[in-house]
């Protein structure tokens, strides 16, 4: 009986510790989430007018619009391209920086610079360098005989924002890979070397499997972040030119605060969240099968 | 000395107490800061210029010294969505008393009944006739906005470059094309006209439409943009922009307000569309050619008139706040603080009342003395019959929420971009723009 009372007392203490966190989660995460999702089922003239129930009207309207699917495809292209290049380059830099060479410490520090640079500063840095009239890079490219509208040509604009995003966030992958590499036992490399495995084989059969758990988490996180990324695109192109870089978060903002279609914006935001959740579920299933296989 | 042991219980208790105190403090401070009979008036302001803010704070201080109610400047960065921010506050049961406004956001507030008409105040300042044309716009029969300053979007020319190429300031579309062509060489481009999605295009680059008397609506608010005559006029404008395109600076579909200034200051273009702020920046950053800048309206096809876009920046009084005291302050500010406000960016912030231009206090500013011709040119553009004055908001039949949405939904830049970037036929781009406007109207 005394033990039970003590256990309950401990449980009480435990609850006191958990309740603040729970309240924060409920009010600051689930509250707005549910509120936004609820808004997508309402008809709202303005922020202050009382809403009326609209059922699935907003979803039908949004899913029928070409603008939505254009934004969805743009979002897919942007996130897949940025994830691919971030992981490929991050892996490469991580492996290189794990080797012993002179100046490694400096390079390890330098590689993180883009990541600690505020996105707004990074974006403006590139905007100025790529400026078609006075930009440093553009001057070089023009000297070579090319005339590229980095941000004003609908085709190049997507390439440019992918490039800027890769520059900004590849260091995150590099750091994660570097951390992951420290956990791979040195004996595995020694054993592979004794067995006569080449550098490439050692990378393929020892490094890559050892890094797989890290890479999977990194790919998942980067996927979620890039599909939701707003600042870089908004600051570079604002979704233009001609909606060539408009993805779902930009469309959400434009609908809600440009066309003042709050319900439409909430619907796009909810669909965006559902797409990400579906993507995460598929990804986790796929990777579970892969790792267990 | 007695030692105090920090136990888990004490720590959690302290944390809870701190949270309660912080919460109560937040509620209390909101109550103190909120509008009402007892608290200060809240002025939501998105002015970014430190000098202007200093002048506003000083005006408030003078007002309080003279026995007026205290006013608290709620400073938000320029570009903040003041419209939504104010509505959110009202929805939360609070309200600002005064907010920076243009005919962009005022219609939305007014149509929902949140603004206190300033008709009496305007009457006390001399009535409609004392204000410059287009500065006063009615919504539902009342004036929802006190126009404090005017900015005038026109073309800014490098006068010395025009001399070099042996041309005068153009008055017709054909002349403008010739000038742009002659100004363009390997080193520089002829003209900067923004086409970017965003406010800039609808503000800075609509003179081409007004110069050919394009209207989106008739007097009853019916969309007429795609009706035969208007479609033809608008198509001519789009064709003209396309003809100018080879002489435009690169990247105009991605050019914002600051680019219009930077391209001119860095001598990349010979002509840039912008307001007096461009010359203010030239005076500060490139004074060597400040006296060579010539400001003029956008040419018309036949050269009979010139087109300008005058934008009124002002203040709206919110009804849920404390309108009586707010009006009192606003009246005082318009009579006692506004000239100092103009002097903060004297070539850009123009008086909305004609009488102020003649005031000795106004004219005493050294920049205004040195560049009197620039201000006089803008004043002429704002008053003379030789100029067509129009903006999206003030075009027929006057400001409305729909007009605001035409701007925020990028109807105009989209129309330009389709023609200039995607080679869409002007007629098709116009029909799509008209359809988009009708869709926006339906959503209201």
């Amino acid at each position: 009986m005394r033990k039970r009372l003590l256990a309950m007392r401990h449980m009480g203490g435990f609850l006191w510790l958990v309740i603040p966190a729970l309240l924060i989660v409920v009010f600051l995460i689930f509250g707005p989430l549910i509120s936004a999702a609820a808004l997508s089922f309402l008809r709202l003239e303005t922020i202050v007018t009382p809403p009326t129930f609209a059922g699935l009207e907003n979803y039908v309207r949004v899913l029928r619009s070409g603008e939505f699917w254009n934004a969805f495809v743009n979002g897919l292209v942007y996130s897949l391209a940025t994830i691919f290049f971030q992981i490929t380059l991050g892996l490469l830099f991580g492996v290189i920086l794990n080797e012993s060479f002179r100046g490694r410490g400096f390079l390890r520090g330098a590689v993180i610079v883009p990541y600690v640079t505020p996105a707004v500063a990074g974006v403006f840095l590139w905007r100025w360098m790529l400026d078609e009239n006075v930009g440093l890079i553009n001057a070089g490219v023009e000297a070579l005989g090319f005339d590229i509208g980095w941000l004003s040509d609908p085709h190049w604009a997507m390439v440019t924002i992918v490039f800027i995003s890769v520059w900004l966030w590849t260091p995150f992958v590099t750091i994660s890979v570097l951390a992951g590499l420290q956990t791979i036992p040195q004996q595995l490399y020694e054993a592979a070397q004794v067995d006569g495995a080449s550098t490439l084989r050692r990378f393929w059969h020892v490094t890559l499997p050892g890094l797989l758990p890290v890479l999977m988490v990194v790919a998942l996180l980067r996927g979620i972040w890039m599909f939701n990324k707003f600042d870089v695109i908004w600051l570079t192109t604002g979704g233009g030119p001609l909606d060539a870089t408009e993805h779902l978060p930009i469309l959400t903002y434009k609908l809600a605060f440009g066309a003042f279609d709050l319900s439409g914006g909430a619907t796009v935001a909810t669909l965006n969240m559902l797409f990400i959740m579906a993507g995460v579920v598929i990804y986790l299933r796929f990777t579970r099968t892969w790792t267990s296989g | 000395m007695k030692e105090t042991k920090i136990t888990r219980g004490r720590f959690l208790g302290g944390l809870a107490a701190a949270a309660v105190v912080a919460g109560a403090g937040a509620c209390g401070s909101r109550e103190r800061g909120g509008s009402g009979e007892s608290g200060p008036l809240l002025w939501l302001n998105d002015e970014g210029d430190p000098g202007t803010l200093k002048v506003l704070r000083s005006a408030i201080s003078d007002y309080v010294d003279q026995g007026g109610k205290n006013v608290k400047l709620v400073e938000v960065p320029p570009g903040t969505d003041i419209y939504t921010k104010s509505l959110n506050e009202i929805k939360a049961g609070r309200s600002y008393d005064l907010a920076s406004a243009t005919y962009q956001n005022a219609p939305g507030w007014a149509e929902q009944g949140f603004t206190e008409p300033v008709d009496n105040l305007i009457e006390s300042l001399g009535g409609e006739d004392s204000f410059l044309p287009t500065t006063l716009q009615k919504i539902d029969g009342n004036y929802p906005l006190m126009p404090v300053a005017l900015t005038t979007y026109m073309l800014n020319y490098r006068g010395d470059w025009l001399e070099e190429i042996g041309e005068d300031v153009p008055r017709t579309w054909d002349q403008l094309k010739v000038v742009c062509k002659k100004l363009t060489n390997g080193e520089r481009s002829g003209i900067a006209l923004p086409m970017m999605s965003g406010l800039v295009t609808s503000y800075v680059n609509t003179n081409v439409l007004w110069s050919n008397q394009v209207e989106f609506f008739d007097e009853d608010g019916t969309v007429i943009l795609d009706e035969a005559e208007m479609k033809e006029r608008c198509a001519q404008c789009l064709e003209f922009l396309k003809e100018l395109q080879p002489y435009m600076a690169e990247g105009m579909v991605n050019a914002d307000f600051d680019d219009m200034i930077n391209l001119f200051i860095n001598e990349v273009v010979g002509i840039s569309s912008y307001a007096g702020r461009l010359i203010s920046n030239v005076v500060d950053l490139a004074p060597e050619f400040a006296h060579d800048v010539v400001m003029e309206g956008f040419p018309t096809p036949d050269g009979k008139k010139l087109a300008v876009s005058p934008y009124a920046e002002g203040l709206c009084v919110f009804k849920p706040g404390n309108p009586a005291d707010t009006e009192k302050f606003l009246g005082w500010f318009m009579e006692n603080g506004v000239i100092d406000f103009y002097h903060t960016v004297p070539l850009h912030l123009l008086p909305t009342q004609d009488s102020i231009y003649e005031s000795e206090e106004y004219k005493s500013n050294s920049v205004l003395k040195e560049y009197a011709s620039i201000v006089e040119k803008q004043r002429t553009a704002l008053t003379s019959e030789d100029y067509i004055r129009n903006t999206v908001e003030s075009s027929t039949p006057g400001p409305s929420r729909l007009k605001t949405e035409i701007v925020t939904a990028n109807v105009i830049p989209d129309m330009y971009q389709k023609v200039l970037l995607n080679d869409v036929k002007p007629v098709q781009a116009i029909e799509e723009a008209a359809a988009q406007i009708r869709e926006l109207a339906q959503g209201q």
Side-chain angles (χ1 to χ4, degrees), chain A residues 13 16-17 45-49 127 131-134 147 151-152 154 236-237 240-242 254 257-260, chain B residues 12 81 83-84 87-88 91 112 114 249-251 253-254 259 263 268 401 404-405 408-409 417-418 421-422 444:
Chain A
W16 273 111
L17 284 171
E45 294 253 324
T46 72
I47 292 176
V48 282
T49 48
R127 267 188 65 166
D131 186 284
E132 288 165 53
N133 295 290
V134 292
D147 184 15
L151 295 167
S152 58
T236 43
T237 61
L242 285 172
K254 279 187 170 177
F257 303 108
F260 301 109
Chain B
L12 286 174
D81 184 358
Y83 175 74
T84 310
L87 287 183
N88 277 330
K91 194 183 181 188
Q112 294 171 79
F114 295 131
E250 300 279 344
V253 288
N254 213 39
D259 294 304
L263 290 171
V268 176
R401 262 204 299 160
T404 306
E405 288 182 19
T408 53
Q417 288 181 14
K418 280 174 190 167
L421 274 184
N422 269 15
Q444 294 237 318

Side-chain angles (χ1 to χ4, degrees), chain A residues 182-205:
Chain A
Q182 315 311 311
T183 64
I184 301 173
Q186 193 59 34
Q187 295 91 313
L188 291 179
Y189 287 105
E190 287 163 5
Q193 210 162 5
V194 169
D195 288 346
S198 64
T199 311
L200 203 64
R201 277 185 161 280
R202 284 203 300 274
F203 173 77
W204 191 254
H205 292 288

Side-chain angles (χ1 to χ4, degrees), chain B residues 13 36 167 169 207 212 276 321 345 365 379 406 440:
Chain B
E167 293 286 342
V169 173
N207 276 329
N212 205 24
V345 198
N365 179 275
R379 186 187 177 190
I406 289 174
L440 290 171

Side-chain angles (χ1 to χ4, degrees), chain A residues 119-167:
Chain A
V120 64
V123 165
F124 275 93
L125 187 118
W126 282 107
R127 267 188 65 166
W128 287 329
M129 288 204 290
L130 296 170
D131 186 284
E132 288 165 53
N133 295 290
V134 292
L136 192 69
I137 290 177
N138 220 62
V141 171
E142 270 183 18
L144 294 173
F146 298 102
D147 184 15
I148 299 173
W150 298 106
L151 295 167
S152 58
D153 182 307
H155 306 294
W156 278 104
M158 179 59 87
V159 175
T160 308
I161 58 164
V162 166
F163 170 76
I164 295 173
S165 306
V166 169
W167 180 82

Side-chain angles (χ1 to χ4, degrees), chain B residues 234-384:
Chain B
C234 192
Q236 287 166 353
C237 299
L238 297 176
E239 292 285 4
F240 179 58
L241 284 177
K242 206 161 170 57
E243 286 171 28
L244 286 183
Q245 196 178 17
Y247 317 119
M248 283 186 200
E250 300 279 344
M252 283 295 100
V253 288
N254 213 39
D256 214 335
F257 289 101
D258 54 336
D259 294 304
M260 293 298 102
I261 296 173
N262 292 335
L263 290 171
F264 196 81
I265 287 180
N266 290 309
E267 305 192 285
V268 176
V269 291
I271 311 168
S272 179
S273 181
Y274 205 75
R277 195 177 289 280
L278 182 141
I279 303 181
S280 290
N281 276 273
V282 174
V283 169
D284 292 341
L285 303 168
E288 64 276 11
F289 65 81
H291 285 284
D292 294 320
V293 181
V294 179
M295 213 175 176
E296 189 49 282
F298 198 95
T300 45
D302 58 11
K304 285 181 182 165
K305 289 194 173 190
L306 294 153
V308 294
S309 294
Y311 273 85
E313 295 176 19
L315 293 164
C316 277
V317 177
F318 283 112
K319 224 180 238 177
N322 184 349
D325 284 332
T326 310
E327 270 194 46
K328 212 180 284 177
F329 167 72
L330 186 51
W332 178 90
F333 178 73
M334 288 302 288
E335 289 190 27
N336 301 283
V338 80
I339 289 180
D340 288 339
F341 173 70
Y342 297 139
H343 285 169
T344 58
V345 198
L347 302 177
H348 180 68
L349 299 170
L350 303 176
T352 50
Q353 293 172 275
D354 207 26
S355 57
I356 294 180
Y357 289 89
E358 298 305 326
S359 131
E360 289 305 321
E361 187 191 349
Y362 174 70
K363 288 195 288 188
S364 66
N365 179 275
S366 59
V367 177
L368 283 177
K369 276 183 188 162
E370 192 174 347
Y371 297 93
S373 61
I374 292 290
V375 174
E376 198 47 44
K377 169 55 74 181
Q378 293 183 80
R379 186 187 177 190
T380 308
L382 291 165
T383 51
S384 163

